[in-house]
């Protein structure tokens, strides 16, 4: 499920930790409409350029139904888009119904699911990559270009003295392959578990 704080309000300060992908957080011009909805005016969209169109479409879908929605954070989490928002600015005692929260979550879920198949770096068709400490959704080309630190803004090496991108090596890597790890819950399973925890007030397993 979408990582939305609507069902049970949390403190905004605990919801804005990014994924550590080094995504370009300087909002592009096309994301300017989101600025007016951020709870903290200085906030930025912490996702790679490949997801900007998804973020804008998500914003447009939400604003059509909730014109005054409040945006807490836009980031990558578990290799998927986390668009964290409230139907309207929160006030003590609550300011939206459970039905409104479910409707907003349903809108966000569409774009969260779509992001799982879109390269966060270039917008080509992508898939989950688990070769780094941080999970990413990347296409095959960007999987080769992005370094082990997961920084999406990492430039490709250039040929010294020319500024031209270096050709990718076709030599077989000599890096020792990691040992198989116990199977982890899928992104969807973890999201469902976290959502149940929010509803029941318990800690997710």
């Amino acid at each position: 499920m979408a990582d939305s704080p609507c069902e049970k309000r949390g403190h905004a300060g605990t919801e804005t930790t990014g994924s550590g992908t080094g995504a370009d957080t300087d909002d592009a011009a096309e994301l300017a409409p989101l600025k007016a909805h951020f709870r903290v005016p200085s906030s930025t969209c912490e996702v790679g350029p490949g997801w900007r169109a998804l973020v804008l479409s998500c914003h447009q879908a939400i604003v059509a139904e909730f014109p005054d929605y409040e945006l807490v954070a836009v980031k990558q989490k578990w290799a998927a888009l986390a668009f964290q928002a409230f139907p309207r600015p929160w006030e003590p005692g609550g300011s939206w119904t459970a039905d409104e929260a479910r409707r907003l979550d349903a809108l966000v879920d569409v774009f969260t699911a779509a992001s799982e198949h879109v390269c966060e770096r270039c917008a080509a068709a992508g898939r989950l990559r688990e070769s780094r400490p941080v999970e990413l959704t990347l296409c095959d080309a960007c999987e080769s270009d992005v370094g082990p630190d997961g920084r999406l803004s990492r430039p490709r090496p250039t040929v010294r003295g020319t500024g031209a991108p270096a050709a990718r090596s076709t030599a077989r890597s000599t890096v020792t392959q990691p040992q198989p790890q116990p199977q982890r819950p899928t992104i969807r399973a973890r999201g469902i578990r976290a959502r149940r925890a929010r509803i029941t007030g318990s800690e997710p397993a």
Side-chain angles (χ1 to χ4, degrees):
M1 298 295 292
D3 191 6
S4 167
C6 288
E7 290 290 349
K8 182 176 180 181
R9 181 179 181 266
H11 297 293
T14 65
E15 290 290 340
T16 56
T17 302
S19 64
T21 60
D24 182 1
T25 57
D26 292 331
D27 292 345
E30 64 265 30
L31 299 184
L34 281 71
K35 280 288 190 181
H37 293 269
F38 270 114
R39 171 183 291 175
V40 179
S42 61
S43 298
T44 58
C45 297
E46 299 181 7
V47 297
W51 283 359
R52 286 175 182 164
L54 280 175
V55 170
L56 181 59
S57 295
C58 186
H59 158 76
Q60 292 170 338
I62 294 174
V63 82
E65 189 162 351
F66 302 101
D68 300 320
Y69 86 91
E70 182 178 59
L71 186 54
V72 179
V74 178
K75 61 185 181 180
Q76 183 263 90
K77 189 170 184 179
W78 297 332
L81 173 64
F83 196 104
Q84 300 173 340
F86 297 111
R88 59 186 60 86
W90 185 87
E91 296 178 356
S95 55
W96 56 81
T97 65
D99 179 66
E100 288 176 321
R102 285 191 293 270
R103 281 157 47 202
L104 189 146
D105 281 350
L107 291 172
V108 173
D109 280 351
V110 172
F111 299 95
T112 297
S115 71
E116 295 175 354
H117 306 284
V118 176
C119 176
E120 187 182 356
R121 189 169 184 251
C122 74
R127 62 184 177 85
L128 176 64
R129 309 289 179 162
E130 300 179 283
S131 57
R132 304 171 184 81
V134 59
E135 296 176 349
L136 298 171
T137 296
L138 299 171
C139 64
D140 291 342
C142 289
E143 167 66 5
S144 298
D145 285 345
V146 175
D149 60 0
R151 294 188 65 83
L152 300 181
S153 58
R154 175 176 177 266
R156 288 185 59 188
T158 58
V159 177
R160 182 175 297 178
T162 67
R168 291 177 185 164
S169 172
T170 57
R172 180 173 296 178
S173 173
T174 59
V175 177
T176 302
Q177 295 298 315
Q179 295 299 313
Q181 299 295 317
Q183 186 174 4
R184 292 178 290 174
T186 63
I187 293 171
R188 180 64 62 186
R190 290 199 297 266
I192 292 173
R193 183 179 299 172
R195 184 175 178 81
R196 287 173 177 167
R198 286 199 301 271
I199 294 173
T200 62
S202 62
E203 290 295 327

